[in-house]
């Protein structure tokens, strides 16, 4: 049975200076926790309400989502919604917001290696309004969407993200959420990319072997349609190679490498590779292959 908290009890647990007790209706405990202690939480005084404020932009809710609970303060509005139909692929949701006039203000999220249950936020802006959308798994299926909307003229007019944050050279490939093995602890991920590769890495604290960790991620990738081409183990290092066609039917190679660190932590590296037709290796110097062959006669007499 799902635990519930009344709005009154939620107000007491939040430790906010002033909350409006508006109803004796009940809301799930996990929604109250996500609302009051979730990512991007704002301090100060606020009111807590069931549903979303009447003036909240409905287009910020994913299709099929229901606003469950919200907070309203002078700094902005935060809404927690249940989105049972939303999966890993958020491209349709992003297109919906862009069609409604919201500008994508963050880097393109490829997912992949994740260090927690919440993926990096989707960020949008419109005029002086800024929206951050945090998505997390919902036990009954789909996602919770925690949407924070603020309006601050000091931030200036809305602009798209800087060019160095996108576009992605792997925009035709959507990765699954590669969550850490159950019971493990993980540090934040890092990433880098170019026209023919995309790299991610994180650190794990776990009792599992490098082989077990590779197997965990391989199974997640196989469920997403990746084909295992090979794997290997050498001491405290394990590796796997997988392949998949992108939406443009380009072959993509995924290399997964797990190394055991001297302190016992595991370093996980995930690398995507593709062929960039515009990139060529420099020819070797000298010889017919690397130089110019001069035929007939003589040239360049001393």
């Amino acid at each position: 049975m799902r635990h519930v908290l009344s709005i009154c009890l939620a107000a007491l647990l939040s430790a906010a200076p002033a909350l409006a007790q508006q109803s004796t209706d009940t809301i799930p405990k996990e929604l109250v926790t996500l609302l009051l202690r979730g990512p991007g939480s704002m301090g100060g005084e606020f009111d807590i309400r069931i549903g979303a404020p009447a003036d909240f932009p409905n287009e910020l809710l994913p299709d099929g989502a229901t606003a469950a609970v919200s907070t309203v303060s002078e700094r902005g509005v935060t809404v927690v919604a249940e989105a049972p139909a939303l999966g890993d692929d958020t491209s349709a949701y992003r297109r919906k917001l862009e069609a409604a006039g919201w500008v994508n203000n963050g880097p393109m999220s490829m997912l992949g290696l994740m260090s927690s249950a919440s993926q990096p936020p989707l960020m949008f802006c419109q005029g002086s309004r800024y929206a951050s959308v945090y998505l997390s798994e919902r036990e009954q299926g789909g996602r919770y969407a925690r949407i924070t909307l603020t309006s601050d003229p000091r931030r200036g007019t809305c602009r798209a993200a800087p060019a160095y944050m996108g576009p992605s050279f792997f925009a035709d490939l959507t990765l699954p959420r590669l969550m850490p093995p159950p019971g493990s602890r993980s540090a934040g991920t890092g990433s880098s990319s170019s026209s023919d590769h995309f790299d991610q890495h994180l650190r794990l604290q776990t009792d599992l072997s490098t082989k077990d960790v590779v197997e965990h991620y391989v199974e997640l990738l196989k469920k997403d349609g990746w084909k295992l081409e090979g794997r290997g183990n050498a001491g405290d290092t394990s590796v796997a190679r997988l392949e998949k066609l992108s939406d443009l039917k380009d072959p993509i190679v995924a290399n997964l490498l797990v190394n055991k660190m001297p302190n016992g932590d595991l370093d996980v590296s995930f690398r995507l590779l593709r062929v960039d037709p515009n990139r060529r290796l420099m020819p070797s110097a000298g010889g017919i292959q690397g130089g110019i062959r001069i035929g007939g006669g003589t040239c360049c007499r001393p």
Side-chain angles (χ1 to χ4, degrees):
M1 181 181 226
R2 295 172 74 188
H3 297 291
V4 294
L5 290 176
S6 68
I7 291 296
C8 181
L9 181 57
L12 292 175
L13 292 179
S14 71
L19 295 178
Q21 180 179 338
Q22 297 187 353
S23 171
T24 58
D25 292 341
T26 57
I27 54 177
K29 179 180 179 180
E30 59 266 31
L31 293 185
V32 174
T33 301
L34 183 59
L35 177 71
L36 300 178
R37 302 176 184 174
S41 297
M42 296 182 293
E45 298 185 1
F46 56 85
D47 293 338
I48 188 169
R49 305 177 182 180
I50 287 182
D55 58 350
F56 185 78
N58 286 329
E59 68 267 17
L60 290 177
L61 297 173
D63 288 341
T66 301
V69 63
S70 60
T71 59
V72 180
S73 71
E74 292 183 356
R75 298 179 58 188
V77 177
T78 295
V79 174
V80 173
E82 296 184 274
L86 187 63
D88 289 338
D89 188 357
T90 60
S91 57
Y93 176 54
R94 295 197 301 267
R95 288 194 298 268
K96 170 189 173 182
L97 288 178
E98 290 167 358
W102 290 85
V103 176
N104 193 335
N105 196 239
M108 298 184 66
S109 176
M110 292 191 59
L111 300 183
L113 290 180
M114 308 292 292
S115 62
S116 68
S118 294
Q119 67 187 59
L122 303 174
M123 302 177 69
F124 296 88
C125 59
Q126 187 184 76
S128 62
R129 298 190 298 177
Y130 291 80
S132 299
V133 184
Y134 293 86
L135 302 175
S136 57
E137 289 197 23
R138 181 172 175 267
E139 184 179 354
Q140 300 84 357
R143 299 287 182 268
Y144 290 122
R146 188 182 193 280
I147 307 165
T148 298
L149 179 65
T150 59
S151 180
D152 189 349
R154 294 174 300 177
R155 297 181 66 174
T157 303
C158 169
R159 294 189 299 270
Y164 67 83
M165 301 180 74
S168 169
F169 287 102
F170 288 81
D172 56 331
L173 180 71
T174 301
L175 290 172
R177 284 157 49 92
L178 300 178
M179 300 301 298
S184 64
R185 298 179 60 188
S186 56
T189 61
S191 64
S192 63
S193 65
S194 76
S195 61
D196 60 3
H197 76 268
F198 177 83
D199 295 295
Q200 291 181 315
H201 70 271
L202 60 75
R203 292 288 174 86
L204 288 178
Q205 289 182 349
T206 178
D207 294 330
L208 298 176
S209 67
T210 59
K211 179 180 178 181
D212 292 335
V213 171
V214 166
E215 180 65 24
H216 165 78
Y217 286 115
V218 164
E219 290 304 312
L220 294 178
L221 289 165
K222 286 168 65 175
K223 290 179 181 178
D224 190 58
W226 290 81
K227 181 181 178 182
L228 179 64
E229 296 293 334
R231 73 177 82 192
N233 304 284
D236 289 328
T237 299
S238 297
V239 64
R241 173 191 169 103
L242 303 96
E243 291 189 9
K244 184 181 181 180
L245 292 179
S246 72
D247 293 341
L248 297 178
K249 305 304 179 184
D250 284 344
I252 307 293
V253 172
N255 287 333
L256 184 64
L257 177 68
V258 180
N259 283 298
K260 189 172 184 178
M261 304 294 294
N263 65 351
D265 292 351
L266 300 187
D267 183 85
V268 182
S269 298
F270 182 65
R271 182 176 178 89
L272 297 178
L273 298 169
R274 77 184 312 164
V275 175
D276 177 3
N278 297 315
R279 175 172 289 193
R280 293 287 186 271
L281 295 178
M282 292 295 293
S284 59
I288 296 177
Q289 294 181 346
I292 301 175
R293 183 176 184 178
I294 302 175
T298 59
C299 172
C300 311
R301 293 180 179 175

